Amino acid sequence: MEIAGLFFILIGVLAVTGVQSRISRADKRVARVERKLDLIIDHLGLRENEPRMDEVLTLLRDDKKIQAIKVYREITGAGLKEAKDAVERMA
């Protein structure tokens, strides 16, 4: 009985690990595609007009980089590293 329980637990752990691995790979692929799209958009000179993006630029001009990153994250929903990189490109 105990062996069967351990077997089912092992199967469950392996299944969860497999799903997490697939999600991680999918996240990496999506991030790669987003970076490529950002490069294409930059190359074409296209800009998304975000109403609060001026606030980010103002914060950068006032040497408030951390607040600029926070506002950028609020506007775009970006992660910390992505927002930091974007704000640094804007500076």
Side-chain angles (χ1 to χ4, degrees), residues 31-47:
R32 240 184 356 253
V33 169
E34 287 177 345
R35 280 192 301 272
K36 289 176 183 179
L37 284 174
D38 287 340
L39 289 172
I40 291 168
I41 288 169
D42 287 342
H43 179 74
L44 294 175
L46 302 174
R47 289 281 165 213

Side-chain angles (χ1 to χ4, degrees), residues 3-5 25 28 34 39 41 58 67 77:
I3 293 176
R25 283 183 289 184
K28 288 177 184 175
E34 287 177 345
L39 289 172
I41 288 169
T58 302
Q67 289 89 345

